[in-house]
């Protein structure tokens, strides 16, 4: 087979971007030179192919158009496809288009691209008719079923093989698509893993304010919400607010197919109903898991009215701030409230441990390094955390932030721990003998001074394992407690199945619930427990009085037993 060679020794007519000689001939033709003269002057011996001059120039234009379409620049391709009589008027536009094409890199597919941008027309039409619009939609189908194409009418084996070869050429595409929560029908990911289409990321939100008047540089809803969260001084507050904003954003994208900045008041009312019963359950609800776990879910169950009210108040505050920054024009949650019940919501007794359950759980921690595979250092830290936390009722964030320098000894001889709690409020927590004894023992085990005057105030009460002066993070503490709860659940499975079941659902915050419940059951005054937990109202603390109701029901049951019939 003969190959045409131009005067510069370059292969010609083999596809791809035209050679310099071919482009020179084309420019001469656009400048007004007759086709025969332009080809003779710049392409010379290429006439040996037998093509007419006009056909050769048409072939160059067609290759430029194909080159443009291969790089998804249909606008530039259309400039090359015009009647020959319009060549002089089109000359400047075509010259600019050629320069742009010369520097355009080879495009790479994105998970958000429509299927017809990369796949043959017939296959793309069959896919779209089956509801598969984007490459992400298609990617999660291909690797999951052996004969995945059999359920798609109009898509045959040949087209399926072409599609599989396409994805094999871009292996990173599959991994990114699996993180695209928009197409996962039963999977939900934390928002830091989101890769969402432009249509729902908020960059084109329905109620976005003009960019010129906005005080934020955020280009989408995620960036705007992150800016709002960064204002929070307390890590615990930022985490709590993030949870509510994340839930709403996931719901907006997954259930409504909308950006946060496109939600209407009707959407807000629907979200309130959703909080009462998140569904489908498999997508939204699951046990507490780290954010890196594939089993992570936004909810652990339906929200109580009080939790719903809190969620809506946080969301409302977020929208009000976004309005103040002129990022959005309206707050769809304005006026959307939760009906309050006439009496305080009863505390869920299943979110804490009874006296008997706690005795079993604490006993399991003794000698855990011998029977549970824990290191001696890790077992010592675990036992300290259990005793100190149970005796003080701290919040998880307060537990990890505690330092020796925050402990004070008053003139009455009592010990206190100064903390920064919810809303960055300062307070202090009493350290009973159980807490002080556990601390002294643990300091000795860590080979640190027990005498107060020799303390390093920066030493964390709960250290990391690498270095004693380095504190533990909340997520790491969660992991430690989760590991212990699972170990204890297995150990107590035969002894107390109900305790074992509760341990599988337990979170670190249950330590606070258990502390309050046991303190009230042992006769500690309600106001004392309120002050130690730093509740704003005694009504909040009173929810832990459920043990009194249990005691009352049991005692009256014993006083008035059922009648025995002869």
């Amino acid at each position: 087979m003969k190959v045409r060679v131009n005067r510069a020794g370059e292969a010609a007519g083999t596809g791809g971007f035209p050679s310099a000689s071919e482009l020179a001939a084309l420019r001469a033709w656009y400048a007004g030179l007759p086709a025969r003269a332009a080809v003779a002057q710049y392409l010379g011996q290429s006439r040996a192919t037998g093509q007419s001059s006009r056909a050769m120039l048409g072939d160059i234009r067609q290759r430029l158009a194909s080159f443009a379409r291969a790089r998804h620049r249909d606008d530039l391709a259309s400039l090359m496809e015009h009647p020959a009589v319009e060549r002089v008027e089109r000359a400047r536009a075509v010259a600019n288009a050629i320069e742009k094409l010369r520097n355009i890199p080879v495009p790479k597919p994105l998970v958000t691209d429509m299927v017809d941008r990369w796949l043959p027309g017939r296959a793309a039409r069959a896919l779209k008719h089956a509801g598969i619009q984007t490459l992400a939609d298609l990617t999660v189908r291909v690797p999951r079923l052996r004969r995945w194409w059999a359920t798609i009418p109009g898509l045959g084996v040949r087209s399926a093989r072409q599609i599989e070869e396409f994805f094999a050429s871009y292996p990173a595409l599959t991994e990114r698509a699996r993180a695209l929560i928009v197409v996962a029908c039963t999977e939900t990911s934390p928002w830091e893993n989101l890769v969402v289409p432009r249509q729902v990321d908020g960059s084109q939100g329905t109620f976005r304010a003009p960019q010129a008047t906005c005080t934020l540089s955020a280009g989408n809803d995620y960036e705007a919400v992150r800016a709002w969260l960064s204002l929070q001084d307390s890590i615990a507050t930022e985490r709590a607010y993030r949870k509510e904003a994340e839930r709403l954003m996931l719901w907006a994208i997954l259930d409504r197919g909308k950006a946060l900045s496109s939600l209407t008041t009707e959407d807000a009312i629907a979200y309130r109903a959703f909080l009462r019963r998140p569904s489908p359950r498999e997508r939204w609800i699951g046990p507490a898991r780290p954010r890196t776990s594939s089993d992570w879910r936004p909810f652990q169950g339906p929200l109580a009215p009080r939790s719903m009210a809190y969620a809506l108040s946080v969301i409302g505050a977020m929208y009000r701030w976004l309005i103040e920054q002129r990022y959005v024009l309206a707050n769809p949650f304005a006026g959307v409230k939760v009906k309050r019940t006439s009496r305080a919501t009863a505390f869920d007794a299943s979110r804490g441990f009874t006296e008997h359950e706690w005795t079993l759980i604490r006993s399991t921690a003794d000698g855990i390094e011998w029977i549970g595979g824990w290191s001696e250092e890790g077992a010592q830290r675990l036992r300290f955390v259990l005793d100190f936390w149970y005796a003080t009722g701290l919040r998880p964030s307060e537990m990890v932030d505690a330092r020796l320098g925050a402990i004070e000894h008053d003139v009455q001889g009592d010990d206190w721990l100064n903390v920064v709690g919810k809303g960055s409020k300062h307070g202090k927590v009493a350290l009973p003998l159980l807490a002080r004894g556990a601390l002294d023992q643990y300091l000795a085990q860590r080979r640190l001074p027990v005498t107060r005057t020799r303390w390093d105030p920066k030493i964390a009460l709960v250290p990391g394992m690498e270095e004693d002066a380095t504190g533990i993070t909340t997520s790491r503490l969660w992991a430690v407690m989760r590991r212990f709860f699972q170990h204890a659940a297995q150990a107590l499975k035969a002894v107390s199945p109900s305790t074992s079941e509760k341990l599988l659902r337990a979170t670190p915050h249950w330590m606070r619930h258990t502390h309050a419940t046991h303190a009230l059951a042992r006769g500690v005054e309600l106001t004392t427990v309120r002050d130690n937990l730093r509740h704003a109202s005694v009504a909040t603390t009173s929810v832990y009085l459920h043990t009194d109701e249990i005691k009352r029901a049991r005692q009256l049951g014993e006083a008035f037993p059922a009648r025995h019939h002869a």
Side-chain angles (χ1 to χ4, degrees):
M1 175 180 177
K2 295 182 179 181
V3 178
R4 291 179 287 122
V5 179
N6 59 30
R7 286 192 297 184
E10 299 168 320
T14 57
F17 197 75
S19 68
S21 298
E22 290 174 316
L23 291 177
L26 191 65
R27 280 195 294 270
W29 180 70
Y30 272 105
L33 202 66
R36 184 187 299 272
V39 169
Q41 181 174 346
Y42 293 101
L43 297 181
Q45 296 180 0
S46 298
R47 289 291 301 275
T49 60
Q51 280 185 303
S52 69
S53 299
R54 180 170 295 185
M56 291 177 67
L57 293 175
D59 178 67
I60 296 171
R61 290 167 57 196
Q62 186 58 47
R63 283 162 52 201
L64 282 169
S66 299
F67 188 89
R69 287 200 170 89
R71 280 148 182 77
H72 300 154
R73 291 301 303 268
D74 291 349
D75 57 326
L76 299 182
S78 63
L79 292 175
M80 310 296 170
E81 300 167 334
H82 59 80
V85 296
E86 298 178 6
R87 57 175 173 157
V88 176
E89 302 94 273
R90 302 270 189 149
R92 178 174 295 181
V94 169
N96 291 334
I98 291 174
E99 289 306 309
K100 290 181 181 179
L101 289 175
R102 193 191 302 274
N103 300 313
I104 289 179
V106 177
K108 293 183 179 180
L110 302 175
V111 291
T112 53
D113 288 343
M114 303 300 287
V115 291
D116 53 8
R117 188 173 186 181
W118 292 95
L119 302 177
R122 182 176 179 180
R125 286 191 295 272
L127 292 172
K128 296 182 79 170
H129 185 72
I132 300 175
Q133 303 291 326
T134 67
L135 292 180
D137 295 334
L138 180 57
T139 308
V140 296
R141 290 281 294 273
V142 172
R144 296 192 177 190
L145 296 174
R146 186 174 181 181
R147 290 175 50 84
W148 60 272
W149 67 88
T151 59
I152 303 176
L155 191 66
V157 176
R158 182 178 177 182
S159 295
R161 292 291 177 259
Q162 291 176 337
I163 292 172
E164 290 171 356
E165 290 172 1
F166 167 76
F167 283 114
S169 301
Y170 300 98
L173 198 64
T174 301
E175 295 304 318
R176 293 200 67 192
R178 286 173 179 170
L180 185 62
I181 66 163
V182 177
V183 301
C185 297
T186 60
E187 299 174 6
T188 310
S189 301
W191 70 356
E192 60 266 24
N193 296 334
L194 299 189
V195 182
V196 298
R198 185 176 177 84
Q199 298 94 310
V200 292
D201 70 356
S203 58
Q204 301 172 334
T206 305
F207 303 112
R208 282 286 301 272
Q211 185 65 41
T213 65
C214 182
T215 62
L216 296 175
S217 60
N220 56 51
D221 294 344
Y222 176 80
E223 294 173 358
V225 174
R226 287 299 307 168
W228 172 65
L229 292 174
S230 67
L231 297 175
Q232 314 307 321
D233 292 332
S234 167
I235 295 178
T237 301
E238 180 181 351
R239 188 183 301 113
Y241 286 6
R242 180 194 65 189
K243 178 171 67 175
E244 302 305 338
E246 179 179 56
R247 286 171 169 175
L248 176 62
M249 185 175 291
L250 288 172
W251 175 84
I253 296 172
L254 279 169
D255 274 31
R256 310 299 274 194
K258 291 184 175 182
L260 208 67
S261 53
S262 296
L263 293 179
T264 64
T265 300
E266 289 80 5
D267 292 324
I269 295 171
Y271 184 67
R272 180 180 62 182
F274 167 78
L275 291 177
R276 292 192 181 98
R277 183 172 296 179
S279 61
R281 186 179 182 88
E282 62 273 13
R283 175 191 290 173
W284 297 106
I285 298 177
R289 292 287 187 272
R291 295 175 67 81
T292 55
S293 172
S294 60
D295 295 334
W296 178 89
R297 294 292 182 270
F299 296 86
Q300 290 180 253
L303 297 190
R306 183 175 178 179
S307 298
M308 289 175 56
Y310 172 78
L312 295 181
S313 68
V314 171
I315 293 169
M318 176 186 71
Y319 270 102
R320 287 193 294 273
W321 185 82
L322 293 175
I323 291 174
E324 291 173 359
Q325 309 312 309
R326 298 180 181 177
Y327 179 82
V328 294
L329 298 172
N331 177 7
F333 285 84
V336 179
K337 299 179 180 179
V338 177
K339 183 178 180 180
R340 295 184 178 274
T341 56
S342 57
R343 59 188 298 271
T345 303
F347 174 70
D348 183 359
S350 68
R351 296 177 61 208
F353 302 111
T354 66
E355 295 268 8
H356 176 65
E357 290 169 343
W358 181 248
T359 300
L360 293 174
I361 293 168
R362 181 58 184 83
S363 298
T364 305
D366 292 328
I368 196 172
E369 60 268 45
W370 306 110
I371 60 175
W374 291 56
S375 67
E376 182 179 1
E377 187 180 10
Q380 291 170 349
R381 181 178 66 176
L382 172 68
R383 288 189 284 269
F384 163 71
V385 167
L386 291 175
D387 289 339
F388 193 88
W389 209 342
Y390 174 65
T392 58
L394 295 173
R395 296 183 176 93
S397 60
E398 296 165 351
M399 191 73 184
V400 301
D401 291 340
R403 299 290 186 271
L404 287 177
I407 297 176
E408 66 176 49
H409 189 75
D410 65 18
V411 294
Q412 286 79 27
D414 298 318
D415 293 307
W416 301 86
L417 176 67
N418 291 294
V419 297
V420 178
K422 188 179 296 186
S424 300
K425 294 181 180 179
H426 291 263
K428 62 180 184 177
V429 176
L431 297 184
L433 294 178
L434 176 60
R436 271 311 313 266
L439 177 60
D440 289 346
Q441 181 181 18
Y442 190 42
L443 289 175
Q445 291 169 341
R446 294 164 65 185
R447 295 181 175 80
L448 294 174
V450 176
T451 305
R452 186 187 308 275
T453 55
R454 298 175 59 193
W455 282 353
D456 180 349
K458 297 180 182 178
I459 291 290
L461 269 60
V462 185
M465 291 286 93
E466 296 293 329
E467 184 178 317
D468 282 353
T470 302
I472 193 172
T473 63
T474 305
S475 59
R476 178 58 185 155
L477 178 62
W478 189 99
V480 170
M481 293 297 290
R482 180 66 185 167
R483 180 188 173 195
F484 170 67
F485 287 157
Q486 289 179 333
H487 170 87
Q490 186 63 31
L492 297 174
K493 192 171 184 179
V495 179
S496 178
S498 61
T499 305
S500 176
E501 189 276 331
K502 289 177 69 173
L503 282 163
L504 293 175
R505 296 186 291 107
T507 69
H509 203 78
W510 285 30
M511 299 295 295
R512 183 171 171 87
H513 297 323
T514 302
H515 162 85
T517 303
H518 292 191
L520 292 170
R522 294 171 184 174
V524 179
E525 293 182 4
L526 186 61
T527 53
T528 300
V529 177
R530 176 202 63 189
D531 294 342
N532 212 52
L533 295 178
R534 283 144 294 118
H535 285 158
S537 169
V538 72
T540 305
T541 315
S542 65
V543 299
Y544 297 107
L545 285 172
H546 64 277
T547 52
D548 287 351
E549 295 178 355
I550 295 174
K551 185 186 298 182
R552 183 179 3 154
R554 288 179 179 174
Q555 289 178 352
L556 287 173
E558 292 171 358
F560 299 96
R563 175 179 296 179
H564 296 285
H565 298 280

